[in-house]
Every structure is written in C-alpha cells, then in structure tokens.
Amino acid sequence: MNLQVINDYAPSIGVVHDAPFDNLTFNLADLLPGTLTFAATLDYLTKCVAQPSVAAVMTTREVFDQYVQTSSAGTRTIGIALTPRPREEFFRFHNWLCQQTEFYHRPNRSERGTNCRIGSLASIDDHNVVLGNNVVIEDFVRINANTTIGDDAVIGAGTIVGSDGFQVLALPSREILKVTHAGGVRIGKNVEIFSNSAVARHIFNDDTTIGDDSKIDNLVYVAHAVKLGRRCRIAANAMIGGSALIGDDVWIGPSASISSEVVVKNGANITLGSVVTRTVEANERVTGNFAVPHDRFIRFIKTIR
C-alpha cells in the first residue's frame, strides 16, 4: 500500500514523499520491513530515517523542516506525511485501515493437529486458529482468531489467548481513543500457560509471541506485542507490559511488573515484586521498585534497617 492512501482517510494530511509501506509500528526496537511509524521530535525522526526497515513517517511540518535543515545530503529519502498531531493521526489511520480496508486481513488457515485434547467447555474461534499436535486446551479457555499454538502446548483452564490489549489515547479534546488490535498470538512448542492468565494479541500485523518451552504461571498478563523468548519462567501474578522484549531463559518472579517497551536480555532474573522500567542486561538480577541490581538493593536495605 502507498502512503498516498492516507488522503482517503484524511485529505488534510500532506504527503511530501509517497512511498509503499507494508506494516505499522511505533516501536523501533521491533521493526518489520516496510514500516510506517510516527515521529513528534527531530531526534526521533532522525532515528527513524536511520532504520532501513522504516519506509515512511508521519510527522509535523516543524519537525520535518528542522530535519531538512540539519540532515546531510546523503540521507535516504523515505515517505513523509505531515500533520499537526502525528501520534493521534497515526493511530486513527491504523483504526481506519482495520475498519475500511483489507490491509490487515489474514487468509483463513484453521488446522488441528493429531491427539489434541480440548475441553468441552473451551471456546475456539473458527477463523485462523492453528493447533499443533498433542495440544491440551482445558475448560473455559477462550482462543481468539489469528492464534497459532505449537506442539505439546498446554493452555490452562480460564485462560484467554488473543484478547484485545490496552492501548488507549487520552486526547486534548478529552476523547479517549481506543486502538483496534489487528494482530495475533503465536505460542511455541511445549509451552504451558497455567489457569486464568491472558495473552493479548498484537496491535499491528504481527504476533505477540511466547517462545518454545516457556512456562507461565496462574494469573499472568502478557500484553500486546510482547516478544517472550524460549525457556522463560513467569511466576504467578506477573505483568509484562506492551511491546516488551524478553530474551531467552528469563525468570520473572511473582507479582513483578515489566513496563512497556522495556528490553530484558537473556538469562536475566527479575525478583518477586520488582517494577522494571529500564533495560535489564544479560544475566543481571534486579530487585525493587524501581528495580536496580539486586546486590545494590540489598546493600541499601541494610543501611535503613
């Protein structure tokens, strides 16, 4: 689809450079090829142009003029659409694409492998749900469209897979804009999700993913667009915020919270009740609210006891 189609949504948006795009996102850490995104500052627009996967950007006239004045002659040309409210119009355009076009349409591919055990009180969408072999779906589970579940996975009673995520915008007009979720969920092989958990589907044309051999306890929430690696262990009542990137072999303790768009690298250990708001390095152990390296936290606690 070409950026010029944005004028079918809003003729007032000025397209400076047309360009084809295939995906939308606002997270530069998790880009798909041919992405349309938005930038409200010069620094962010510069970062967008530097990403080969970014095909087009919605930004303001002021930011674009600053960029033209400061950028080098060798900078590549990408699609540019101008609006006074790039963040708002980006999400409104996304909603329009969902509701008025086939941009996010996925061909129906519904399959069930051999030896699946599905509870009589489970509910599985009849559109685009793929189950591998030996999958167990317990009673009161809800599996929504655009979900793939790998071999030998177990989905515990009361769990919801593919629900809407919580992406809402509070606008200056006092309107609360709900963002449509168009993506899916991909659960790997030998994953186990215990009872009464929820995994939200991706906002855009991608999947929230849970890697092979990961184990998720009761009452865990995995938000939209999360990428969870292999062999992770997520304890009860933990929350992983939207677009967080979690590496392999990560431990997330009971009632821990991972903020949106945070990166947790391979082998990290998030102790119980921690609130993580920054990158956690590989094999780092963090504790506290806000979480800091565990040893540093313990030293501090000893000084106040």
Side-chain angles (χ1 to χ4, degrees), residues 25-38 43-57 67 75-79:
T25 191
F26 54 83
N27 184 8
L28 294 186
D30 189 27
L31 287 172
L32 292 173
T35 288
L36 167 66
T37 188
F38 70 93
D43 179 63
Y44 200 75
L45 178 57
T46 302
K47 290 179 180 178
C48 291
V49 176
Q51 294 286 341
S53 292
V54 173
V57 179
Y67 175 76
T75 301
R76 71 188 182 98
T77 300
I78 64 172

Side-chain angles (χ1 to χ4, degrees), residues 178-244:
K178 184 179 185 295
V179 176
T180 303
H181 284 61
V185 175
R186 181 173 295 273
I187 295 173
K189 297 178 180 179
N190 200 35
V191 168
E192 187 164 1
I193 302 176
F194 290 38
S195 299
N196 297 314
S197 293
V199 182
R201 61 178 172 264
H202 206 288
I203 302 174
F204 304 113
N205 191 25
D206 197 1
D207 295 323
T208 302
T209 59
I210 298 174
D212 295 348
D213 300 299
S214 289
K215 310 299 178 186
I216 296 176
D217 200 355
N218 301 298
L219 300 169
V220 170
Y221 180 55
V222 179
H224 55 236
V226 166
K227 299 296 177 70
L228 183 71
R230 298 169 294 176
R231 299 178 300 276
C232 292
R233 295 156 295 148
I234 316 299
N237 205 41
M239 188 283 296
I240 304 175
S243 301

Side-chain angles (χ1 to χ4, degrees), residues 16 27 40 67 74 85 90 114 127 135 160 167 221 278 281:
V16 176
N27 184 8
Y67 175 76
R85 302 176 300 277
F90 172 83
T114 60
H127 178 77
V135 171
I160 300 174
Q167 183 74 34
Y221 180 55
R278 62 166 182 84
E281 299 297 336

Side-chain angles (χ1 to χ4, degrees), residues 150-182:
D151 296 346
D152 303 298
V154 178
I155 311 298
T159 287
I160 300 174
V161 177
S163 60
D164 261 3
F166 188 72
Q167 183 74 34
V168 294
L169 277 66
L171 302 176
S173 63
R174 301 182 67 84
E175 177 189 358
I176 301 297
L177 175 65
K178 184 179 185 295
V179 176
T180 303
H181 284 61

